[in-house]
Amino acid sequence: MPRFSIIVPVFKVQGFLAECLDSVLEQSYTDLEVIAVDDCSPDGCGAVLDEYAARDPRVRVLHLPENVGLGRARNAGMPHATGDFLFFLDSDDTLTPGALRAIADRLEETADPDDPDVLVFDYARTYWWGGTRRNVLARVLTEAGDGTFTAAEHPEILELLMVVWNKVYRREFVEREGFAFPPGYYEDTPWTFPVMLSAERIATLDRICLAYRQRRQGNILSTTSRKHFDIHDQYERVFAFLDSRPRLASWRPYLHRKMGEHCLDILSKPDRLPESDKGEFFRLTAALFRKHRTAEPVPRELRILEGSFARYRAHRQAGRLGRELGLRGQQVRKAAATRVKRGWSVVHEHRSLDPNLAVYSAFSHRGVLGDPAAVYYKAREIAPHIRGVWVVRGEEEAALLPKDVEHVLLDSLGCRQVTARATYFVNNVNWPGTLAKRPDSVHVHTHQGTPLKYMAADLLDKPGARHGFDVPQMLRRADRWDYSLVANRHSELVWDRAYPCHFTSLRSGSPRNDVLVRARPEDGSAVRARLGIPADHRVVLYAPTRRDYVRGGHIDRIDLARFADDLGEGHTLVVRLHPTLADGPARGMGLSELHRRRVVVDATDEPHVEDLMLASDVLVTDYSALMFDYANLDRPIVLHTDDWGAYAASRGAYFDITADAPGHVVGSYRELAWLFASGAWQDADAERLRAGFRARFCEFDDGRAAERVVRTLMLGEKAEEPAPLVPVPAQAGHDVLASS
C-alpha cells in the first residue's frame, strides 16, 4: 500500500499535463500511486495519460465516458485509491522538487500516536507571464506549531485559501466521514470546510510544495459566466453539513461571515459575472445571507447585504471615486514634497557645512551594516568629535539600531536637516536623487565588495540583467562621489570602467573586512553558540547568489537536505541566501522547514555576514562576491559552478572565475559530495589556489582599512600604504586543515 494516492483530474490541459505528471513521477520520494482521471477531455490528454501509464506502473488511468466536471472526476478517482493519504493535484499545477519527501517527513514527525487527519502545506502562485508569488498568509503555517491541533484550537488555519490542493488527507478519515465533492464551480468550498471542521488532528508544513498555475486563459475563476452562481448552492451544502453535525453548530456565525465575504468578492471581480447578471447575483446573496443569519452582530463590511443592489453599486462607485481622488492626492503630495526638498536644498546651500557632521547609510538604509558601519565605529573611536548620524528607511529598521546610535528617518525633516549641513557622506548604495551635492562635502562610496559580475554602465549590453535598473540615473547619482574605496587593483579598474564619473580611488582595503583580517580563534565561538551550533562541529557556509536569467532570481542548485546528510555527523550546514531573495518564495521551497527541523541553519536574516564567515570553516558558493571577503580568512573555498555558462552569458563577468578560482571548482553535485567525502576540499591544491586568489584580491586588506579612511578623508592625515597580509589562525577548538 503506497503512502500517497495522487488523484489528478484531467480536462483540456494537454499543454501542461506532461509537466504536471513529471513533477510527481520525478520526486525523490517514490512511495506513491497516480490515479489520473480523463474527464472525457476533447484534446490529446487521454493519449498523454495512456503513454505515461504504459511506461510507469505507478500510473493508472480512468477514462470517463462523459464529462462530469472537476469535483466528480475527483470522486471517480477516490474508490481506486489505496494509499494512506489522498492528494488532489490539479493537472495544470506541479509539485516542487522534494515536496513529497518533505510531506512524508512531516507526517512521520506528527504520527504519534496516529497520523494526522489533514496536513496543510504552502504553495506559490506562478503566473503565465513568469511571476511567482508566495501565499501571503504563510506565517499561519508556522504559527500553528510543531504538533497537531483542531480548527477550534487554531482557527486561523481557516483563513488560508480554502482549496483542496494545498492539503493531504488521511484516506481512512475521508472514507469514514463520507466526504465527497459536489458538482459545479467552487466545489472546494463544501469539501474543505467540512473536512477542516471535522478533523481531530491537523498538522502544517511551512514549505512550498505546490506551484499553483495562474493561466492566462482556461482558468475557471477568470471565466465570465453564470456558473459563478454555483457559490450559493455550495454554501447551502456547507450549512446543511453543519445541521447534520450539531457539535459544530458554534461555527455557524463564522461560516455566515465567510459566505458573505466570499460572495461579495466574486461580485466585485470585473471578470467573473456578466454585467447584466450582477443584480440577480447580489439579490440571491442577500437572500442567502438573511436565511442563515445568526444572533451575532453583522460585521460593518457586510451590512451592504442588508440593502439594495442600487445602494451596493453606489457604494462601489463612491469607493472607486475615493481611491482615484486618493491616488491623485498622493501624486500631488509627492510632487509637492519633491519641490519642498529641492527648496530646502536651495535655502540651505548658502549655510556653512558642519565640519564635524557625518551621515551614514548602508544597503538602502537598512541599518548599521557593512563598510559604512566599520567606518562609523572607527570614527567614533579615533575622531569622537565627528558626530555620526545614520539614515534608516523606517521605524522598523530604527527599532533594531543599537541604543547609542543617532539616526534619522529617510525623507523626514530631521533627515533633510542633517544632510543639508553634513560634510561627510558614507554609503555603499547611492543616495536618493533629491540629495544635492554641495561643493565642500565629501562623498565616500564604499561599494559592496569586489565585483565579479557586470555592474552599472557595463550592464548596458545586458538587457536582461539590467531589468529594473535605470543605469543613466545610477551614473548621475554616482557623479556625486568624491572617493571610491577599493580592496584590490581589479576593483579599481572595474569601478573606473563601470562608473565613468569623476572620483578618486582610495586603495584603502574594505573596512568591513578588518574583522576578518584580524580574526582571533575565539571570534566565531559566540556566533556558533547563538546559532545553536555545537562547538566541535565543522561548519560549512553555503552562500549562493541570485540568477538574472530566471524571474525572481532563485534556483535551487543543491538539494540542501541531501548535502547536509552527505556531510555527515560532526558537520553543520549554514545557509545564507542572497539578501534580495530573503522575502521571496526561495526560503519556502524547503529552507524554512529544514531550519525548523535543524537539518540546516538558515542564517539569511543574520544582519552581519562577517559573523557567519568567522563562525565557519569552509565556504561553498557559486558566484557570490562573498568569496573575495572570505579569502581574507585563509580558509577553504569551494565553488559550485554547474551553470557558469548561463550565468556569465546573462549577467556578464569580468573574468572566468572557474579558471581563476579561490579553491576547487565542481560542476555537479556528485563532484561536490565527493570533494567533501574525500577531504580533497582542503588539500594542497586548494591551499595553492587560495594563496594566489588572496594575493590578487585581498591586496589592500590589512586590517586597517576603516582607520585609513577616517584618518585620510576625515582627519586629513597622509595616507599610509596597506601592510602585508596577515595569516589568520584556525577556528577555536579544532583545526580546519585537519582531515575529515
Side-chain angles (χ1 to χ4, degrees):
M1 183 170 65
R3 189 61 164 161
F4 298 108
S5 291
I6 302 177
I7 298 174
V8 185
V10 178
F11 182 74
K12 294 179 68 173
V13 288
Q14 63 180 8
F16 307 103
L17 183 55
E19 185 180 359
C20 170
L21 296 174
D22 288 343
S23 76
V24 175
L25 300 175
E26 294 175 3
Q27 289 280 313
S28 59
Y29 188 88
T30 59
D31 189 14
L32 60 93
E33 64 179 1
V34 175
I35 301 168
V37 183
D38 175 13
D39 191 16
C40 202
S41 186
D43 56 8
C45 286
V48 172
L49 293 176
D50 290 339
E51 179 183 340
Y52 272 82
R55 67 173 186 249
D56 194 318
R58 295 176 296 172
V59 179
R60 283 185 289 163
V61 181
L62 303 178
H63 294 284
L64 301 184
E66 61 180 1
N67 177 253
V68 297
L70 183 59
R72 287 187 287 186
R74 290 170 179 157
N75 290 342
M78 276 196 282
H80 300 272
T82 61
D84 297 328
F85 283 86
L86 302 177
F87 192 144
F88 298 99
L89 177 65
D90 287 354
S91 49
D92 55 353
D93 296 338
T94 55
L95 298 185
T96 60
L100 289 184
R101 167 57 65 188
I103 293 172
D105 288 346
R106 183 73 177 114
L107 289 171
E108 182 178 353
E109 186 179 33
T110 55
D112 184 18
D114 299 309
D115 278 335
D117 293 327
V118 181
L119 172 70
V120 187
F121 52 79
D122 201 10
Y123 66 92
R125 296 176 186 264
T126 59
Y127 296 90
W128 62 269
W129 43 265
T132 300
R133 183 165 64 89
R134 189 178 185 183
N135 168 24
V136 296
L137 293 177
R139 58 171 179 77
V140 173
L141 299 172
T142 305
E143 293 168 356
D146 294 341
T148 60
F149 55 90
T150 64
E153 293 168 337
H154 191 62
E156 294 81 5
I157 197 69
L158 298 180
E159 296 303 311
L160 294 174
L161 192 63
M162 284 291 101
V163 290
V164 66
W165 41 256
N166 64 348
K167 307 169 184 72
V168 295
Y169 312 85
R170 189 164 61 86
R171 182 168 59 86
E172 290 181 357
F173 162 68
V174 170
E175 292 175 349
R176 184 190 72 219
E177 299 291 336
F179 294 126
F181 292 93
Y185 275 20
Y186 302 99
E187 75 292 334
D188 287 4
T189 298
W191 166 280
T192 307
F193 280 121
V195 164
M196 295 298 287
L197 297 182
S198 301
E200 297 179 355
R201 290 173 52 82
I202 302 171
T204 60
L205 172 62
D206 181 19
R207 185 194 193 278
I208 296 174
C209 296
L210 182 139
Y212 172 42
R213 190 189 302 273
Q214 300 274 266
R215 286 193 276 161
R216 185 169 181 264
Q217 293 181 343
N219 187 337
I220 290 176
L221 295 184
S222 63
T223 302
T224 303
S225 168
R226 281 187 60 87
K227 289 186 177 181
H228 293 283
F229 278 74
D230 288 353
I231 189 66
H232 302 122
D233 289 338
Q234 305 298 22
Y235 271 102
E236 286 283 26
R237 291 183 173 100
V238 173
F239 286 114
F241 177 81
L242 286 186
D243 292 339
S244 70
R245 308 289 175 97
R247 65 183 180 86
L248 299 179
S250 61
W251 286 103
R252 184 174 290 274
Y254 174 83
L255 291 171
H256 180 252
R257 174 174 64 82
K258 293 295 287 187
M259 180 268 293
E261 292 173 349
H262 197 167
C263 291
L264 285 177
D265 181 63
I266 294 170
L267 186 60
S268 69
K269 295 291 192 298
D271 56 354
R272 298 283 177 91
L273 294 162
E275 192 63 34
S276 59
D277 293 329
K278 289 186 176 181
E280 180 185 356
F281 185 91
F282 177 88
R283 288 187 287 274
L284 288 174
T285 298
L288 187 65
F289 193 73
R290 289 192 300 271
K291 176 181 178 181
H292 294 287
R293 183 170 179 175
T294 68
E296 297 288 330
V298 176
R300 182 183 183 88
E301 65 275 13
L302 297 180
R303 292 175 190 169
I304 195 69
L305 288 171
E306 297 178 330
S308 66
F309 178 64
R311 179 185 171 193
Y312 165 81
R313 190 161 53 183
H315 179 77
R316 290 278 299 173
Q317 290 173 344
R320 188 179 301 113
L321 178 61
R323 287 191 295 273
E324 291 175 356
L325 291 174
L327 179 60
R328 291 177 188 172
Q330 185 179 15
Q331 292 170 341
V332 170
R333 288 191 295 273
K334 184 176 180 180
T338 300
R339 289 194 297 271
V340 167
K341 292 174 187 175
R342 290 173 180 166
W344 182 278
S345 298
V346 171
V347 169
H348 285 78
E349 67 180 3
H350 299 296
R351 296 185 62 186
S352 60
L353 297 180
D354 184 344
N356 296 320
L357 177 59
V359 178
Y360 299 86
S361 181
F363 299 105
S364 299
H365 320 295
R366 280 175 37 216
V368 184
L369 303 165
D371 289 303
V375 174
Y376 166 76
Y377 283 116
K378 184 55 68 173
R380 283 180 43 163
E381 176 188 336
I382 64 176
H385 61 284
I386 297 180
R387 173 188 169 204
V389 181
W390 281 83
V391 177
V392 293
R393 189 163 46 194
E395 295 289 356
E396 184 177 347
E397 290 77 15
L400 300 176
L401 296 177
K403 298 299 183 184
D404 60 344
V405 171
E406 185 179 355
H407 72 276
V408 292
L409 300 184
L410 182 67
D411 288 334
S412 67
L413 175 61
C415 181
R416 292 193 289 274
Q417 289 173 332
V418 297
T419 55
R421 299 208 59 208
T423 294
Y424 307 104
F425 291 80
V426 184
N427 200 344
N428 65 1
V429 179
N430 272 322
W431 294 97
T434 53
L435 176 62
K437 170 76 164 71
R438 297 191 61 183
D440 295 326
S441 62
V442 178
H443 281 242
V444 181
H445 194 76
T446 70
H447 302 284
Q448 296 181 35
T450 295
L452 169 63
K453 61 188 179 184
Y454 276 10
M455 305 292 287
D458 288 329
L459 291 174
L460 291 173
D461 290 331
K462 297 291 181 181
R466 76 167 189 269
H467 179 71
F469 287 97
D470 186 338
V471 174
Q473 181 188 69
M474 189 184 300
L475 298 182
R476 285 193 296 271
R477 294 180 177 185
D479 283 333
R480 295 173 296 193
W481 300 355
D482 293 295
Y483 294 95
S484 166
L485 306 188
V486 297
N488 48 65
R489 295 171 209 267
H490 162 77
S491 295
E492 186 173 13
L493 294 174
V494 167
W495 299 139
D496 279 349
R497 164 184 165 145
Y499 291 96
C501 308
H502 297 286
F503 57 82
T504 299
S505 290
L506 181 65
R507 296 179 173 181
S508 59
S510 296
R512 70 183 181 282
N513 288 343
D514 289 347
V515 296
L516 304 180
V517 176
R518 295 181 170 185
R520 299 166 300 175
E522 65 272 17
D523 284 348
S525 301
V527 181
R528 287 177 172 230
R530 177 162 54 80
L531 296 177
I533 300 173
D536 61 343
H537 270 213
R538 173 171 285 130
V539 177
V540 179
L541 174 60
Y542 176 52
T545 194
R546 64 177 292 119
R547 268 55 174 183
D548 292 294
Y549 62 83
V550 293
R551 189 182 291 272
H554 176 71
I555 302 179
D556 281 321
R557 309 305 308 182
I558 293 176
D559 183 332
L560 298 177
R562 181 180 178 185
F563 188 28
D565 185 57
D566 287 344
L567 286 172
E569 293 292 330
H571 292 75
T572 295
L573 178 60
V574 176
V575 180
R576 182 181 178 83
L577 298 180
H578 192 276
T580 60
L581 302 174
D583 298 325
R587 296 163 87 174
M589 297 298 287
L591 180 55
S592 294
E593 174 64 9
L594 293 175
H595 175 78
R596 186 192 66 80
R597 292 167 47 206
R598 300 299 298 174
V599 175
V600 304
V601 174
D602 177 10
T604 303
D605 289 334
E606 284 293 314
H608 302 289
V609 69
E610 298 83 8
D611 289 346
L612 299 178
M613 290 191 275
L614 290 169
S616 66
D617 298 307
V618 53
L619 171 68
V620 177
T621 186
D622 35 43
Y623 322 114
S624 172
L626 202 67
M627 72 178 87
F628 298 99
D629 301 331
Y630 196 86
N632 282 287
L633 288 170
D634 198 17
R635 298 175 190 173
I637 301 172
V638 175
L639 300 188
H640 181 248
T641 61
D642 63 336
D643 65 340
W644 169 245
Y647 181 87
S650 60
R651 176 68 195 220
Y654 291 111
F655 64 95
D656 185 351
I657 191 63
T658 65
D660 296 306
H664 287 295
V665 179
V666 298
S668 67
Y669 177 76
R670 182 177 181 181
E671 293 176 25
L672 178 66
W674 175 87
L675 200 68
F676 276 90
S678 66
W681 59 277
Q682 56 179 350
D683 62 11
D685 283 341
E687 187 174 357
R688 174 182 56 79
L689 290 167
R690 189 166 69 252
F693 193 83
R694 292 182 71 227
R696 180 179 177 186
F697 295 109
C698 303
E699 183 180 5
F700 304 142
D701 281 332
D702 63 352
R704 299 185 60 193
E707 179 180 356
R708 187 171 291 112
V709 171
V710 174
R711 292 195 181 280
T712 302
L713 303 184
M714 293 183 175
L715 299 179
E717 299 178 5
K718 184 179 179 180
E720 296 181 11
E721 288 296 320
L725 293 172
V726 179
V728 179
Q731 188 69 43
H734 63 291
D735 188 349
V736 296
L737 298 180
S739 64
S740 57

